[in-house]
Amino acid sequence: MTGRAGNLPAEISNFVGRRRERADLRRLLAVSRLVTVTGPPGVGTTRMAIAAANRVASHHPHGVWYVSRAEIDEPDRIASVTAAALGVSVQDRSVVEVLIEHLRARRMLIVFDNFE
């Protein structure tokens, strides 16, 4: 993803197999504003989401961003952690309002990981 905005983790190895699932996910990302990738722990849902996000990154001129649930210890911190991941400065305003304003005029992909 060199040269593009975002903070998507690098793919650590080639993604082998699951060709159909990867194609389905890319198709869904092209037509839907919200796509959920689910599965039991350890089956590769995070790797699948990151691989798909890398493949469609060129369709998101304002970047591909990654927000991990691991950084959130309380549900009321979701907005502030998301703002920090996107590099959005909040200062003295409502985090939610600032995020809405920031996202409204942008075409970006945000991968939320482990938000069961």
Side-chain angles (χ1 to χ4, degrees):
M1 217 174 97
T2 305
R4 292 192 187 106
N7 67 345
L8 194 64
E11 293 181 72
I12 55 174
S13 62
N14 290 335
F15 202 82
V16 178
R18 298 172 75 178
R19 181 174 288 147
R20 186 172 133 198
E21 290 92 342
R22 289 184 295 153
D24 288 345
L25 184 51
R26 282 193 307 272
R27 260 192 307 280
L28 288 169
L29 286 168
V31 299
S32 299
R33 292 183 56 141
L34 176 66
V35 176
T36 303
V37 180
T38 62
V43 298
T45 54
T46 296
R47 287 192 64 220
M48 175 79 73
I50 290 171
N54 270 313
R55 300 308 175 276
V56 300
S58 63
H59 300 289
H60 302 280
H62 296 106
V64 178
W65 302 86
Y66 180 83
V67 180
S68 174
R69 170 71 174 83
E71 299 175 31
I72 302 171
D73 51 4
E74 297 178 22
D76 61 345
R77 292 199 56 235
I78 292 172
S80 61
V81 170
T82 301
L86 299 177
V88 175
S89 176
V90 176
Q91 297 180 1
D92 295 332
R93 296 178 50 206
S94 159
V95 178
V96 173
E97 288 176 11
V98 171
L99 274 174
I100 290 170
E101 183 179 303
H102 179 79
L103 295 171
R104 180 176 286 132
R106 288 176 171 77
R107 183 176 166 98
M108 62 175 53
L109 175 62
I110 303 174
V111 176
F112 288 97
D113 189 23
N114 291 316
F115 276 76
E116 309 65 33

